[in-house]
Each structure stands twice: as C-alpha cells, then as structure tokens.
Amino acid sequence: MNREFWQARWDEGRIGFHQDEVNPYLQRYWQALNVSRGTTVFVPLCGKSRDMLWLRDQGHPVVGVEVVPRAVEAFFAENHLAATQQRRGPFTLWQSEGIKIFQGDFFDLAANDVAGITAVYDRASLIALPPPMRQRYAAHLRAILPGKMNVLLVTMDYPQAEMDGPPFAVTEQEVAALYQDYFKIEQVCSEDILAANPRFQEQGLSRLLEKVYTLGPC
Ligand SMILES: C[S@@+](CC[C@H](N)C(=O)[O-])C[C@H]1O[C@@H](n2cnc3c(N)ncnc32)[C@H](O)[C@@H]1O
C-alpha cells in the first residue's frame, strides 16, 4: 500500500471509496464532538473528499494530507476552488479559502504542520492500510497531534478471510488497541451496509459493517 499503489488506483479510476455526497455519519455525529466553530480540523488521507467542504462550511478551517497529486488537483478543480501551490519541505502545499492540503506522504508530516489542529475527522484511513501500517499510522498521528483532542473515526469491519484489502477489516478490538491508552473511545454506530454495496457482495462478503467511533480526551 505504497505511493505507487495509490497512484495506480487514482490513475485507473479505481476509487470506489470516494463518495459524491457528504458522508452521512459526519453530518450525524460531528456535533456530538462539540468542536468549537473556527477551530481547525485535520483530515488525514483525505483523497478528494467532499467532507472537507462540509467541515469548512461548519466554520472549520480544514487541513488535509493526500499522497496522490491527481487526487488533490481533482479536489480543487471539481469544486471550482482557486488554489495556490507552494513547496513545503517534502510536500506541495495547496491552499484555498479555508482548506489546505499537504500533497505528500502522511508519514512525513511533522507536529509543526498540524500545530493548530483541534479535532480529527478520519474516514477510511485505517481501512486503507494493512495491519502493520495501521499501527504506524496511529502512532504517527498521536505523535504529531498537539495534545489530546476529539476524533470522529469511520471504519469498516467484515470477516477478513473473505476478501483481501483494501479496504481492510478493522475490528473494535483493534481500534481499542490502537487508541485506548490515549483516548476515551465510544462506538456510536454499527450498521450493516452489505445490501447497499453490490461490489462487496460480488467479492463474496457475508457481512460488512460500517462503524463509527468518537474518540475524546481520557
Ligand atoms: C480509502 S481512501 C480514503 C479517502 C478519503 N478519506 C475519503 O473518505 O474519500 C485512502 C486515501 O489515502 C491516500 N493515501 C494512502 N496512503 C497515504 C499516505 N501514506 N499519505 C497520504 N495519503 C495516503 C490514498 O491515495 C487515498 O486517496
């Protein structure tokens, strides 16, 4: 699951994870986090998610990170947002009104890059990564975030033996193992979405749960 893998997915248009509509769980559960308007939200592995527009429209400056240039270009072009680009260390930093995206590798982000963050919206990052990378991802996220904060986490779970990822299955136990020493974790939703996802039925899945967690300071 390296840069070349994701580059090929975007080049070939194999981006079934992308949603044209704003994620319903974000709209349903964001208020529960009590994140103050005007404070900055981090969206790791952001793709060209329209959820960033929704967060901006709630009054949150948004900071994303995405490794594939085509995805970042598409985000700004498809949403008719004029953006500036500048080199920032290993990244190209794209900026428009209320939204900036670091185009580059999440694992190259430093604490300084996300210094003003007060909350995280994480959809489909963990499920994009194989198990050892998930541990590295969670450790890096914890290392760069400026203190304890609220996180809205959207993942999927299914019998991993039935399909190769991505998306990978992420169990409740794994979410606990990754984050319970640092956050109070609450699972706020678990919904079987298999019937609405024929492409996963065709892969032979018997069950596909979408799970939403809120993580807050202990
Ligand atoms: C499953 S998609 C989720 C995208 C987005 N969160 C959404 O909800 O549509 C994972 C995204 O992470 C990007 N990605 C994968 N590894 C990355 C890394 N190490 N650093 C930054 N982006 C990465 C991929 O290119 C892809 O766009």
Side-chain angles (χ1 to χ4, degrees), residues 10 46-49 66-76 101:
W10 279 94
C46 61
K48 58 173 184 173
S49 172
E66 166 57 50
V67 77
V68 177
R70 177 188 285 258
V72 182
E73 283 162 27
F75 173 76
F76 288 105
I101 299 181

Side-chain angles (χ1 to χ4, degrees), residues 138 142 148 173-185 215-218:
R142 293 191 314 258
K148 303 230 164 141
Q173 291 76 9
E174 182 173 355
V175 171
L178 293 173
Y179 291 122
Q180 72 185 357
D181 290 347
Y182 309 89
F183 295 99
K184 182 171 171 295
I185 302 171
L215 280 53
C218 289

Side-chain angles (χ1 to χ4, degrees), residues 189-202:
C189 183
S190 175
E191 209 167 332
D192 195 331
I193 59 164
L194 188 60
N197 286 275
R199 73 190 170 105
F200 290 115
Q201 291 173 32
E202 286 157 18

Side-chain angles (χ1 to χ4, degrees), residues 26 35 39 41 49 56 62 64 82 87 90 117 147 171 190 193-194 196-197 210 213-214:
L26 173 62
V35 183
T39 63
V41 176
S49 172
R56 184 201 60 182
V62 172
R87 209 55 213 165
I117 301 298
T171 64
S190 175
I193 59 164
L194 188 60
N197 286 275
E210 195 149 42
Y213 303 86
T214 56

